[in-house]
């Protein structure tokens, strides 16, 4: 999922809107900013060990760990984008394949598969934002309200990865997916998705072509995103019942 859906899921399930929870729900995607240095298995896919570490050593930051766990592939919102019933964003993203093959020159089916799911996740954010415009302000307030250096320090201690590398990577993540960049189809297609394409394919693309594909993804997901969210939240409420 993209940040806004993660924030929506995390705050709905936890019934909290703390700054640490909100930022934690976005934070695991730092692993995709620097894939060579950050292992996704302990910082994105499963957050059980990290949650236990925070519970034992930094209880004042437990909402951060809960937000990250609510993001995860294992039991968090990403499970429904990536795996559940084939993964919503991967299944629906197949409809974008012909358009994306014209946009990006690549022989990698895996990269194209991932790119199509990025477009669908962005579309889900936009459909959610149409229903819940207040989520942008919550994200903005939370980003201003946390100490990213302290978060980097805790993550560095846990993972034994250099603190400065963590801080720079987290800064890069929030420079790309900051609230302003997620506020409209235009901002996502002008900045966020081209950045992802540059990172994955080392290619520059036409913003207007990106916009047209994103708008198609919005139309596709508009038909059933509410059903997706309803099913996702119902299962997550059971999975996270012990955390309430």
């Amino acid at each position: 999922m993209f940040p806004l859906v993660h924030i929506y899921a995390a705050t709905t399930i936890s019934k909290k809107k703390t700054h640490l929870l909100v930022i934690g729900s976005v934070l695991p995607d730092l692993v995709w900013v620097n894939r060579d240095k950050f292992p996704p298995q302990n910082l994105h896919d499963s957050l059980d060990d990290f949650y236990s570490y925070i519970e034992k050593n930094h209880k004042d930051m437990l909402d951060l760990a809960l937000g990250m766990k609510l993001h995860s592939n294992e039991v968090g919102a990403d499970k429904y984008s990536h795996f559940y019933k084939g993964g919503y964003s991967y299944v629906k993203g197949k409809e974008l394949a012909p358009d994306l093959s014209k946009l990006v020159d690549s022989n990698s089916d895996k990269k194209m598969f991932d790119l199509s799911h990025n477009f669908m996740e962005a579309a889900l954010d936009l459909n959610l934002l149409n229903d819940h415009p207040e989520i942008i302000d919550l994200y903005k307030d939370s980003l201003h309200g946390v100490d990213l250096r302290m978060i980097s320090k805790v993550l560095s201690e846990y993972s034994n990865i250099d603190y400065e590398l963590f801080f720079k990577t987290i800064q890069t993540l929030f420079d790309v997916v900051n609230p302003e960049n997620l506020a409209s189809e235009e901002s996502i297609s002008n900045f966020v998705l081209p950045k992802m394409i540059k990172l994955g394919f080392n290619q520059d693309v036409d913003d207007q072509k990106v916009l047209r594909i994103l708008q198609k993804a919005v139309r596709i997901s508009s038909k059933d995103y509410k059903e997706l969210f309803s099913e996702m939240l119902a299962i997550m409420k059971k999975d996270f019942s012990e955390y309430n």
Side-chain angles (χ1 to χ4, degrees):
M1 298 297 185
F2 255 43
L4 301 187
V5 173
H6 278 301
I7 293 168
Y8 173 68
T11 54
T12 301
I13 297 302
S14 69
K15 300 177 183 178
K16 296 180 180 181
K17 293 183 179 180
T18 67
H19 294 161
L20 282 173
L21 179 93
V22 169
I23 297 308
S25 74
V26 180
L27 197 58
D29 280 340
L30 71 90
V31 301
W32 311 126
V33 176
N34 193 336
R35 303 180 189 210
D36 295 333
K37 300 293 184 181
F38 295 99
Q41 53 269 30
N42 292 328
L43 292 171
H44 181 281
D45 298 345
S46 174
L47 276 297
D48 287 345
D49 288 345
F50 180 69
Y51 189 91
S52 297
Y53 173 83
I54 295 297
E55 191 172 33
K56 181 178 179 181
N57 297 284
H58 297 281
K59 280 197 172 182
D60 59 323
M61 300 187 75
L62 204 54
D63 278 356
L64 179 80
L66 178 57
M68 292 177 69
K69 191 174 177 70
L70 283 157
H71 177 121
S72 69
N73 269 340
E74 186 176 59
V75 292
D78 266 357
K79 172 182 175 181
Y80 302 89
S81 181
H82 299 161
F83 301 109
Y84 184 70
K85 295 183 178 179
Y88 179 94
S89 295
Y90 285 113
V91 172
K92 295 291 183 178
K94 292 177 182 177
E95 298 183 52
L96 305 176
D99 304 291
L100 290 172
S101 66
K102 296 176 183 177
L103 178 70
V104 178
D105 181 21
S106 174
N107 294 321
S108 171
D109 291 339
K110 173 65 167 62
K111 285 187 175 182
M112 293 297 292
F113 196 45
D114 286 340
L115 181 60
S116 66
H117 115 278
N118 290 146
F119 273 76
M120 291 308 306
E121 289 188 339
L124 288 172
D125 256 28
L126 288 164
N127 279 311
L128 174 70
L129 185 59
N130 189 54
D131 296 333
H132 296 280
E134 71 281 355
I135 205 163
I136 283 284
D137 290 331
L138 174 60
Y139 185 17
K140 190 180 301 182
D141 291 344
S142 298
L143 196 53
H144 291 155
V146 297
D147 184 346
L148 294 181
R149 286 197 173 274
M150 178 57 70
I151 291 172
S152 302
K153 181 175 181 293
V154 170
L155 288 168
S156 176
E157 289 174 357
Y158 164 72
S159 61
N160 292 316
I161 296 174
D162 179 67
Y163 157 77
E164 285 295 339
L165 179 61
F166 255 115
F167 181 60
K168 289 177 182 177
T169 303
I170 290 172
Q171 278 188 313
T172 299
L173 171 67
F174 288 114
D175 282 346
V176 175
V177 295
N178 66 55
E180 289 79 7
N181 289 343
L182 299 174
S184 69
E185 291 179 351
E186 289 74 19
S187 59
I188 292 176
S189 59
N190 290 346
F191 191 78
V192 180
L193 290 171
K195 279 281 187 181
M196 290 182 171
I197 292 169
K198 185 69 173 179
L199 182 66
F201 298 87
N202 195 30
Q203 295 182 33
D204 296 312
V205 291
D206 186 310
D207 295 349
Q208 288 303 305
K209 291 180 180 178
V210 173
L211 176 60
R212 287 194 289 273
I213 300 172
L214 177 59
Q215 288 172 334
K216 181 176 181 178
V218 170
R219 291 193 299 271
I220 292 169
S221 58
S222 68
K223 301 171 185 176
D224 59 2
Y225 75 95
K226 290 183 179 179
E227 289 81 358
L228 167 68
F229 293 163
S230 178
E231 188 169 5
M232 174 182 76
L233 293 173
I235 299 172
M236 287 179 69
K237 283 178 182 178
K238 295 178 182 178
D239 290 340
F240 283 88
S241 59
E242 66 183 278
Y243 297 90
N244 294 324

